[in-house]
Amino acid sequence: MRYGALITLLALSGLVILALVREQTGTEGFLVGLGLAVLPVPLLVAAFRWLDRVEPGPWRNLVFAFAWGACAAALIAIIANSFATRWIATATADPSGADTLGATVIAPIVEESAKAAAVLLVFLFRRRDFTGIVDGVVIAGLTATGFAFTENILYLGTAFGTDQLTGDTGIASVTAATFFVRVVMSPFAHPLFTVLTGIGFGVAALSGDRRQLRRVLLPLCGLLLAMGMHALWNGSSSFGEFGFFAVYAAFMVPAFGLLTWLVVWTRQRELRTVREELPAYAAAGWLTPAEPFALGSMRARRLAREYAGRHLGKSAAREVARYEAYATSLAFLRHRGRRGRANADFLVRERELLNELWRRKDVARPALDHAARMTAPPVRVVAPPWPMHGVYGYGPGPAYGQGQTYGPGPGPAQGHGGGSGYQAGAGPVYGAPTGPVHGYRNPTGPFHGYESPPGHTYGYPTGPYPASRPHQ
């Protein structure tokens, strides 16, 4: 019922906004505006999807965000802005002042609130998929992209209608000027405003459930910043002849560069979290020793998907992609638990993710192993002063390839493909154990043994895990 109600609401909003825009621009203007407004959409969507590649969110959340911005938020903005502007013009008998006040005060409040509603809905009802700053940026950015798409249709269609009346064509036309300002110079304007709201929700998502005040204030602060930057952008035309270019150069471009750096840095930090958290599960037998490295590298992930697709087909590549997503979610879950910010369902969620990984291990592990070997950093080998015949790399036994070893033990380091040796005690450590994992119960170390699915063990830290059971 909830899905049905949401789809119905968005569909009705889309039909109404379509009729309103067509009424204001005319059929020909609507088609021209639609053709021009769609140009920046694929680039913006691709950019936000690139940011979301570490832990890809479900497609339904992304489609909802774009549809909400293009339909529901745009409809709310058109109706509310028109009503408020007419009311101010009637009350003050100053239509020109009402238009200025509507553009610089009313529009930022209404539009940013309407777009923030989509981020709030995902935050409340898809909390499991909303885990940090990148998720907030992606949802907010796609919502704003949808909103800007509909708004550009209206502005470009209206400009085309003006040119039809005046007879202007080419570069001197109003359509060309509107296209240059809205599509060429500032396609990121609306996403930039709303991303501030998304960052507020993202930081709130990183807070624990008991920090209720912080979880409320941070999104509100982000929303107020988005409204303020939106108001500055809309009011730039009233700052003089070069006011628009001054605001663009002094505020918009630096803010865009700063936010781009922030989200890219956050993306790299997420990859580092994967590399730091997953070795605990590799030590317990859930993952192979090479998997944390491969899952913490976007290049290795891509190579793993390509390897699976080339040898086992597209369905295998999709399974590897799901394996990567589940492993990333597991790393983030453990990171939150280790820092005392896990929810009450931590154990249940961890078991679900581990089971999803276990079901796909036969397809994913060979591909990730291949990717790890292909992307392993080269190790410089210094030849000893005494002669050694037929031995390359490190280790007391015969090692082949680059000589990089994983895991302790006196056994031979045997190279795989690209040459990274995997060294173990009695034999190479690769894959999950074939029998019960006994003996990984070190009470003095950082992990304690905890029974998992039959015959396997994984570890919990001694830190603040919620509802952790005594180790066995």
Side-chain angles (χ1 to χ4, degrees):
M1 292 180 63
R2 187 165 59 189
Y3 275 114
L6 184 61
I7 292 173
T8 302
L9 172 64
L10 293 177
L12 291 176
S13 300
L15 292 175
V16 174
I17 195 68
L18 176 66
L20 289 177
V21 172
R22 182 179 174 276
E23 180 182 357
Q24 294 189 36
T25 62
T27 302
E28 191 175 359
F30 173 80
L31 295 176
V32 171
L34 177 63
L36 296 177
V38 78
L39 295 178
V41 172
L43 297 177
L44 291 171
V45 172
F48 288 114
R49 284 294 294 166
W50 178 83
L51 290 176
D52 201 34
R53 290 302 299 171
V54 177
E55 188 187 18
W59 270 102
R60 60 178 180 271
N61 292 350
L62 307 183
V63 172
F64 161 75
F66 185 88
W68 180 276
C71 300
L75 179 62
I76 293 171
I78 286 181
I79 295 176
N81 289 342
S82 299
F83 174 79
T85 302
R86 285 198 301 267
W87 183 82
I88 294 173
T90 303
T92 61
D94 184 10
S96 177
D99 290 339
T100 302
L101 185 63
T104 57
V105 178
I106 303 301
I109 294 176
V110 171
E111 294 176 7
E112 294 306 321
S113 299
K115 290 182 286 184
V119 188
L120 176 63
L121 290 174
V122 177
F123 182 82
L124 293 178
F125 296 103
R126 285 291 178 265
R127 186 65 182 83
R128 181 175 288 184
D129 303 326
F130 204 121
T131 58
I133 294 176
V134 172
D135 294 316
V137 168
V138 171
I139 296 298
L142 287 175
T143 304
T145 299
F147 182 89
F149 168 67
T150 301
E151 191 178 63
N152 285 340
I153 296 175
L154 177 62
Y155 278 93
L156 291 167
T158 303
F160 180 79
T162 302
D163 290 334
Q164 292 291 94
L165 295 175
T166 60
D168 294 332
T169 58
I171 299 178
S173 64
V174 179
T175 304
T178 305
F179 178 83
F180 178 75
V181 172
R182 297 190 63 88
V183 177
V184 177
M185 286 191 65
S186 58
F188 57 85
H190 273 289
L192 178 62
F193 308 146
T194 314
V195 157
L196 296 173
T197 305
I199 291 175
F201 276 100
V203 178
L206 295 173
S207 305
D209 290 340
R210 287 172 289 185
R211 300 181 180 180
Q212 294 296 333
L213 183 62
R214 184 177 180 182
R215 290 162 64 89
V216 172
L217 291 180
L218 287 173
L220 286 177
C221 291
L223 178 60
L224 291 176
L225 287 174
M227 292 177 179
M229 183 166 283
H230 196 158
L232 180 65
W233 173 253
N234 285 0
S236 61
S237 59
S238 61
F239 295 163
E241 183 178 359
F242 299 102
F244 168 79
F245 297 100
V247 170
Y248 185 85
F251 292 96
M252 295 295 290
V253 173
F256 177 75
L258 180 62
L259 288 178
T260 301
W261 172 84
L262 175 63
V263 295
V264 172
W265 175 81
T266 304
R267 187 176 187 261
Q268 294 302 316
R269 190 184 67 171
E270 290 183 343
L271 291 172
R272 186 170 63 250
T273 299
V274 172
R275 292 192 295 268
E276 293 174 351
E277 300 294 345
L278 290 184
Y281 298 101
W286 284 98
L287 305 175
T288 62
E291 283 186 70
F293 167 78
L295 292 167
S297 167
M298 296 307 296
R299 178 169 175 258
R301 288 186 175 204
R302 176 178 56 82
L303 290 176
R305 294 191 299 270
E306 292 176 353
Y307 179 87
R310 185 167 59 251
H311 290 84
L312 299 175
K314 293 183 179 180
S315 61
R318 288 192 293 268
E319 287 297 297
V320 173
R322 294 189 186 100
Y323 187 94
E324 294 169 349
Y326 285 125
T328 305
S329 298
L330 180 64
F332 292 165
L333 179 70
R334 186 178 185 278
H335 183 70
R336 292 194 299 272
R338 192 164 55 82
R339 303 186 63 164
R341 295 199 300 254
N343 297 327
D345 65 341
F346 173 85
L347 293 176
V348 175
R349 179 59 176 163
E350 184 184 43
R351 179 59 59 87
E352 290 177 357
L353 293 172
L354 287 171
N355 289 337
E356 293 292 346
L357 294 178
W358 197 255
R359 281 198 291 268
R360 295 171 173 83
K361 64 181 177 65
D362 294 334
V363 175
R365 283 183 175 178
L368 289 169
D369 175 68
H370 167 78
R373 289 186 276 108
M374 293 297 294
T375 57
V379 176
R380 183 180 180 183
V381 179
V382 179
W386 55 86
M388 297 183 68
H389 302 284
V391 177
Y392 301 92
Y394 295 109
Y400 302 94
Q402 296 170 346
Q404 183 174 350
T405 59
Y406 292 84
Q414 299 180 354
H416 293 267
S420 298
Y422 290 75
Q423 186 175 6
V429 178
Y430 179 75
T434 57
V437 181
H438 299 296
Y440 189 71
R441 304 172 182 179
N442 182 9
T444 61
F447 295 93
H448 295 297
Y450 183 84
E451 287 301 320
S452 163
H456 303 282
T457 307
Y458 62 97
Y460 280 123
T462 57
Y465 272 76
S468 61
R469 294 166 53 184
H471 69 278
Q472 299 181 2

